[in-house]
Amino acid sequence: MHLFNRFNTKKVLDVTTLVKEAKSGDSKAFGVLYEQYAPGIYRFTLLKTSSREDTEDLVHQTFLKAWDNIQYYEDRGASFQAWLYSIARNTVIDYYRTKKTTATLASYTRNPFEEQKIFEYTESNVEFKMLKQHIAELTHTEQDALLLRYVEDLDHRTIAQMLLKSENATKVLIHRAIAKLKQKLDPR
Amino acid sequence: MNDILGTIKRLKHIEPERAYLKHSKKRLFAYINPTTRINISALTLASSLSLCSLSLFFIFHGTPSTPTPLASLDTITLTEEFNKIDLQSKITEVKTRDSKNRAIDRAIQNLAYTGKSSPQNITSPEETNDKIDQLLDELL
């Protein structure tokens, strides 16, 4: 994947090069990676937590952890993007452990602004509310697999590495999650 | 099935605001940017050097003399200082400063209560003044 470097419009850098430069302490390179992946990490975190404020803090924590540990990152088959999502996922898990809250996807649209914004992209409020309620009823692993596959567009292999499962097991997990949703939305 | 997937995929359109991303990046870089770290380190170093210089100045030139704050006096010292005050002399001073009229009032009241005499028995102003003078001599 090639990324457009905002700091130098004539230069086009690939992720591998940017990661290499970031590992050597180049914060500008890390900034380019941030601009590329922050929206996805934000979306994934928002769908897993309950409020925009918490999401913003968690995204911040995720990238700080990434910067602090980037020297240990090695491309062993898993992409840098998958590595970032893994950090985000663990950060969210820590968040729930610390907060001991039961807030889930079902309650993440407490903020009216966010709710209105999300509804713009759905056919109807009723449909979206039902969907988020049913997704929240899935297990955390099923939620992660589903969101990473169909919202973040990660491939099965990458998701399998993140969830510490085989590729086939991941496919089955996602298939079952969709079947559960279908059953809940259309019980006929 | 496709309808469900279509609805889930629409969640892709959730994106943070540009203003948030810009602010968030600045916040992140405040932590990670080496320039910021150097600036903070330099500031800390400068503060430390200033404190060292100030300490050395006081070591070689002595600390400025300042009055002993009241808080540093312990209870014993305060008691000793209190005992040094001659209470009797202070009382005498106060008595001396009393107005003549207040002393007269007290003298008249004293006469009435002790039974030696009474204001009713005083017939003339001269006699009153004599009695008062006598009593004042006794009192003062």
Side-chain angles (χ1 to χ4, degrees):
Chain A
M1 183 189 290
H2 286 75
L3 299 181
F4 185 73
N5 189 343
R6 187 173 284 186
F7 299 102
N8 185 350
T9 52
K10 291 180 181 176
K11 202 174 177 183
V12 176
L13 298 170
D14 63 288
V15 175
T16 311
T17 309
L18 285 167
V19 170
K20 195 176 174 184
E21 288 179 2
K23 282 178 79 168
S24 63
D26 186 348
S27 60
K28 280 189 175 181
F30 190 74
V32 180
L33 292 167
Y34 175 85
E35 286 178 2
Q36 171 66 20
Y37 294 119
I41 297 292
Y42 177 92
R43 178 172 49 240
F44 177 73
T45 310
L46 181 67
L47 290 170
K48 296 281 292 173
T49 56
S50 55
S51 76
R52 193 175 59 169
E53 290 77 17
D54 288 343
T55 299
E56 289 176 0
D57 279 344
L58 292 172
V59 171
H60 181 73
Q61 285 177 37
T62 299
F63 279 94
L64 269 185
K65 285 179 188 173
W67 172 256
D68 288 340
N69 294 287
I70 198 165
Q71 68 268 28
Y72 305 116
Y73 167 73
E74 286 178 19
D75 190 355
R76 292 176 182 169
S79 65
F80 180 73
Q81 183 187 22
W83 184 69
L84 273 181
Y85 277 105
S86 295
I87 295 173
R89 189 167 173 262
N90 291 333
T91 307
V92 171
I93 290 168
D94 290 344
Y95 160 80
Y96 279 113
R97 277 183 189 154
T98 311
K99 286 255 185 182
K100 294 195 183 300
T101 176
T102 53
T104 57
L105 183 61
S107 59
Y108 87 96
T109 54
R110 282 183 307 185
N111 187 325
F113 174 77
E114 286 291 339
E115 194 165 10
Q116 187 182 0
K117 197 174 177 185
I118 292 165
F119 285 165
E120 288 173 10
Y121 307 109
T122 56
E123 288 176 359
S124 72
N125 292 359
V126 176
E127 181 190 32
F128 176 73
K129 279 181 180 175
M130 286 181 68
L131 178 67
K132 71 174 182 178
Q133 185 187 334
H134 293 318
I135 291 177
E137 287 167 4
L138 300 174
T139 66
H140 284 292
T141 313
E142 285 172 341
Q143 286 179 40
D144 288 341
L146 197 69
L147 294 174
L148 289 170
R149 178 70 192 101
Y150 292 110
V151 180
E152 304 307 324
D153 281 336
L154 298 186
D155 57 41
H156 289 108
R157 186 168 152 269
T158 306
I159 298 167
Q161 286 175 333
M162 287 174 63
L163 302 179
L164 303 175
K165 291 182 181 295
S166 71
E167 203 170 328
N168 283 335
T170 306
K171 283 179 184 173
V172 171
L173 186 74
I174 294 169
H175 180 78
R176 282 182 182 164
I178 293 168
K180 277 186 187 178
L181 281 179
K182 190 184 176 188
Q183 179 67 28
K184 288 173 189 293
L185 288 168
D186 187 13
R188 285 174 296 176
Chain B
M1 184 77 86
N2 286 335
D3 289 345
I4 295 169
L5 289 180
T7 310
I8 294 169
K9 283 178 180 177
R10 283 191 198 97
L11 295 172
K12 285 180 191 177
H13 297 287
I14 299 170
E15 280 190 354
E17 292 177 3
R18 281 181 177 273
Y20 157 72
L21 281 177
K22 195 176 176 183
H23 170 75
S24 174
K25 190 177 172 185
K26 275 186 184 175
R27 186 182 165 205
L28 183 70
F29 269 60
Y31 283 92
I32 68 170
N33 199 327
T35 312
T36 312
R37 282 183 179 174
I38 287 166
N39 286 341
I40 292 167
S41 301
L43 192 68
T44 312
L45 185 66
S47 305
S48 304
L49 285 172
S50 302
L51 281 172
C52 282
S53 306
L54 199 64
S55 304
L56 286 171
F57 175 83
F58 285 132
I59 287 167
F60 289 112
H61 296 276
T63 52
S65 60
T66 52
T68 311
L70 187 63
S72 67
L73 291 172
D74 55 22
T75 311
I76 296 169
T77 312
L78 280 172
T79 309
E80 285 171 353
E81 291 297 320
F82 184 76
N83 290 337
K84 284 177 189 172
I85 299 169
D86 185 353
L87 287 175
Q88 189 57 47
S89 64
K90 294 289 176 192
I91 292 166
T92 310
E93 279 176 30
V94 171
K95 278 184 177 176
T96 312
R97 283 200 299 269
D98 272 352
S99 68
K100 193 177 179 181
N101 288 335
R102 289 184 64 190
I104 289 166
D105 288 343
R106 286 202 304 274
I108 291 168
Q109 284 171 5
N110 194 33
L111 279 171
Y113 294 141
T114 55
K116 289 177 182 176
S117 183
S118 69
Q120 288 80 9
N121 296 330
I122 300 169
T123 53
S124 66
E126 289 78 17
E127 191 182 352
T128 306
N129 285 337
D130 289 343
K131 285 281 182 186
I132 288 166
D133 288 340
Q134 187 189 337
L135 284 168
L136 284 173
D137 288 340
E138 286 176 13
L139 285 169
L140 302 174

